[in-house]
Amino acid sequence: MKNSDIEYMQLAIEEARKAGDLDEVPIGALVVYHPIDPATRRPLEEPRIIARAFNRRETDRDPAAHAEFLAMEQAARVLDVWRLSGCTVYVTLEPCLMCAGLMQQSRIDRCVYGAADPKAGALGSLYAVNADNRLNHAFEVTPGVCEDECARMLREFFAVKRAAAKAAKQSNGTKEPEDR
């Protein structure tokens, strides 16, 4: 992990808060572009943020409107290319199979994520798309950056959702099933 990883993840967390403010699952992402001369492996310029996004599936009614997916689409428009070589994606939750596949297909250099996703994570938890040697591109993954803060934000969001659902059931006169 690099010191800049924490700084960039804090910015992704800010994006996640925007999602939460819209009652979206609080996931945020950004893409940092760090072009390197392929011959010398020296930086060509200072790294810069070229895209920011947050989860918008409910708002946009779009199953693909995941934070990292939207950020990568924006980055491709900024760079005017589909190959995102020289890019690092920062995201508060481990990417799902769709987003990890897009990372592989767009040829990113690296993904840095906050909280692991044991139910859908495709960069280490369930799958390791980034390191599958059957595919034509591999990329580096740095997990667990600001993990506690990222996980806490998600836990709190879903605790509020569960409490609201329980209150709605009770106000409709339906009882919670008793434990057996």
Side-chain angles (χ1 to χ4, degrees), residues 32-143:
V32 175
Y33 181 52
H34 191 199
I36 294 177
D37 183 315
T40 65
R41 303 301 302 158
R42 291 199 171 122
L44 294 172
E45 60 184 76
E46 288 298 311
R48 62 187 164 102
I49 298 168
I50 59 170
R52 297 171 187 248
F54 53 86
N55 197 36
R56 296 183 51 90
R57 290 193 315 169
E58 300 298 328
T59 302
D60 294 352
R61 293 177 175 81
D62 181 352
H66 292 200
E68 61 271 47
F69 199 101
L70 295 172
M72 286 185 286
E73 285 182 322
Q74 183 183 7
R77 285 191 300 274
V78 167
L79 296 175
D80 197 27
V81 295
W82 66 266
R83 281 187 181 93
L84 298 179
S85 301
C87 290
T88 298
V89 176
Y90 290 84
V91 60
T92 57
L93 181 66
E94 179 182 359
C96 69
L97 190 55
M98 174 183 71
C99 294
L102 183 61
M103 290 175 184
Q104 188 275 332
Q105 287 293 305
S106 66
R107 315 299 200 267
I108 68 162
D109 289 355
R110 185 168 172 247
C111 177
V112 178
Y113 70 81
D117 187 350
K119 293 183 178 182
L123 295 182
S125 291
L126 295 179
Y127 306 99
V129 170
N130 61 297
D132 189 328
N133 61 13
R134 297 170 296 176
L135 299 172
N136 63 342
H137 175 71
F139 57 94
E140 181 184 342
V141 171
T142 303

Side-chain angles (χ1 to χ4, degrees), residues 113-174:
Y113 70 81
D117 187 350
K119 293 183 178 182
L123 295 182
S125 291
L126 295 179
Y127 306 99
V129 170
N130 61 297
D132 189 328
N133 61 13
R134 297 170 296 176
L135 299 172
N136 63 342
H137 175 71
F139 57 94
E140 181 184 342
V141 171
T142 303
V145 175
C146 302
E147 181 175 17
D148 293 340
E149 188 174 358
C150 293
R152 182 175 45 255
M153 191 172 11
L154 288 161
R155 276 193 311 273
E156 290 171 358
F157 175 83
F158 286 112
V160 168
K161 286 291 192 191
R162 283 189 295 277
K166 184 175 181 179
K169 277 185 180 180
Q170 290 174 344
S171 71
N172 289 333
T174 57

